[in-house]
Amino acid sequence: MKNILKVMLLITAAAVPLMAAAQGKIAVLDVQTAILQTEVAKKEFKDLQARPDYAESVKQLEVLQKEFMTNKEKLQKDSAVMSDEQKQAEGRKLQSSATDIKYVREKLQAAEQELAKKLMQAFYPKLQKIMPEVIKEESLGLLLDKKTALHVDNGFDVTAKVTAKLNLQ
């Protein structure tokens, strides 16, 4: 009885990969990357970076970061000869600069995220239209979100193929 059970388990274990292969390949797709790597998306992000308000914020961020580093280096270099009050004042300046940097960085990120969201919404219907084509062409039996996979060999990733098809739309 034990031998029969072992043989049945062995047969089942050997048959599972064959059944999976018979039903199609497994692949992964990073939807966000597929959409944001399209030529249209790249152009939209380039246009965003060229907008005067965005470019000004980038310059402001660079200036703030440079000031922060200068003040930090000054505090480190001169802290041995500074009074406690001076150290505290310089520390407050650094904290204020860090807050300003964070605000400007978040402002830039918000503009980028807003554009990414707009692009995702615009491209999603196109993506739904081409997905059956990709699934058929690649003989896929299972398509997973790449972000949920723990490990993915590049051979299983169809993101670039989806991006190429979206560029043709």
Side-chain angles (χ1 to χ4, degrees):
M1 185 71 169
K2 278 186 173 180
N3 288 339
I4 292 174
L5 187 58
K6 287 181 184 178
V7 171
M8 289 180 69
L9 273 168
L10 185 61
I11 291 171
T12 304
V16 169
L18 295 174
M19 291 179 353
Q23 294 184 10
K25 297 187 308 184
I26 297 172
V28 295
L29 171 65
D30 185 338
V31 173
Q32 184 174 7
T33 300
I35 291 172
L36 297 181
Q37 289 297 312
T38 61
E39 295 303 318
V40 171
K42 288 178 183 177
K43 182 188 178 309
E44 290 285 331
F45 274 99
K46 198 173 192 175
D47 290 349
L48 172 67
Q49 292 168 351
R51 281 187 2 208
D53 60 328
Y54 187 93
E56 182 60 35
S57 292
V58 169
K59 287 178 187 175
Q60 182 183 11
L61 180 62
E62 290 170 358
V63 168
L64 288 169
Q65 288 174 329
K66 195 177 283 187
E67 283 178 15
F68 179 84
M69 291 308 294
T70 302
N71 289 338
K72 182 178 176 184
E73 290 169 2
K74 179 184 174 195
L75 177 61
Q76 288 173 343
K77 187 177 93 176
D78 297 341
S79 67
V81 295
M82 289 180 157
S83 68
D84 286 342
E85 293 85 27
Q86 289 173 321
K87 288 179 189 177
Q88 289 175 354
E90 288 298 318
R92 284 191 296 273
K93 271 192 205 176
L94 285 176
Q95 185 62 39
S96 177
S97 292
T99 302
D100 292 345
I101 289 169
K102 181 181 176 191
Y103 171 76
V104 175
R105 188 176 288 141
E106 287 174 352
K107 183 174 150 184
L108 292 169
Q109 288 172 342
E112 292 168 0
Q113 288 171 350
E114 184 180 324
L115 177 58
K117 183 179 177 183
K118 180 182 123 189
L119 289 166
M120 294 293 288
Q121 289 172 344
F123 272 92
Y124 199 74
K126 295 175 184 178
L127 181 71
Q128 287 182 317
K129 182 180 172 187
I130 67 165
M131 285 314 302
E133 296 172 25
V134 173
I135 290 169
K136 185 176 179 182
E137 288 172 7
E138 296 293 318
S139 303
L140 299 178
L142 180 62
L143 182 60
L144 301 170
D145 182 2
K146 185 176 181 177
K147 293 176 182 163
T148 61
L150 295 175
H151 170 76
V152 178
D153 186 285
N154 287 337
F156 291 93
D157 192 349
V158 294
T159 303
K161 292 174 184 173
V162 171
T163 299
K165 285 197 169 288
L166 286 171
N167 280 329
L168 297 174
Q169 295 287 316

